[in-house]
Amino acid sequence: MNFTLRQAVLADIPTLRVLIDASVRGLQAKDYTPAQIEGALQTVYGVDSQLIEDGTYFVVEVESVIVGCGGWSKRKTLFGGDRWTGREDSLLNPQKDAAKIRAFFVHPNWVRRGIGSMILETCEQAASAAGFTRFEMGATLTGVPLYRARGYVALESLAAPLANKESLAVIRMEKRMSSQK
């Protein structure tokens, strides 16, 4: 299969919304309840247009169809799309802060084919080129095995409050450049 990775553009947003919904509903049901999934789709998950505008969000296509997405950020927000109220868009200092690995979603029909790893490697390389030596993320329970396999370690468990009074378990994970060797 021939995958093409490119920077996301604002015109991708409608397609990304559909992909994110399919990814969450299709892949997270084993880790979260239906109420948590619905609440997360309304509150936390979604497109982060700031990442697209910053040029740090990527999509993977197969025959011009977007099958995966993910990015990194030089801003303080750990996780969450445009609707997430916990956003903090101030810039990070690469000398002391960790770049944020953000918003990874793969269509359920395309999992286990290296798409997430391809995007993650691209993000780590781009963040390293921008001067970052550490990477941090708020991983879903579903994503933890991928990130652990790629050298990330769990730092703490978080509970993101959702609009429907549920909460979403998120694991804050980190990777340091020295652990990549």
Side-chain angles (χ1 to χ4, degrees), residues 69-129:
C69 57
W72 72 278
S73 183
K74 55 189 172 185
R75 298 179 186 277
K76 290 188 178 182
T77 298
L78 184 63
F79 60 85
D82 289 343
R83 293 179 283 203
W84 178 238
T85 58
R87 300 177 62 82
E88 188 178 346
D89 288 338
S90 55
L91 293 172
L92 298 167
N93 177 344
Q95 302 306 313
K96 65 177 183 126
D97 298 317
K100 307 305 185 218
I101 302 296
R102 305 270 319 280
F104 275 58
F105 299 95
V106 175
H107 192 281
N109 294 342
W110 291 94
V111 296
R112 309 278 183 266
R113 299 183 195 205
I115 294 168
S117 293
M118 177 190 309
I119 299 168
L120 183 58
E121 185 174 313
T122 299
C123 291
E124 290 174 351
Q125 289 173 354
S128 292

Side-chain angles (χ1 to χ4, degrees), residues 10 13 17 43-53 79-87 89 102:
L10 293 174
I13 289 176
R17 287 184 179 131
T43 310
V44 180
Y45 298 143
V47 175
D48 184 336
S49 57
Q50 183 69 63
L51 295 175
I52 296 172
E53 291 170 7
F79 60 85
D82 289 343
R83 293 179 283 203
W84 178 238
T85 58
R87 300 177 62 82
D89 288 338
R102 305 270 319 280

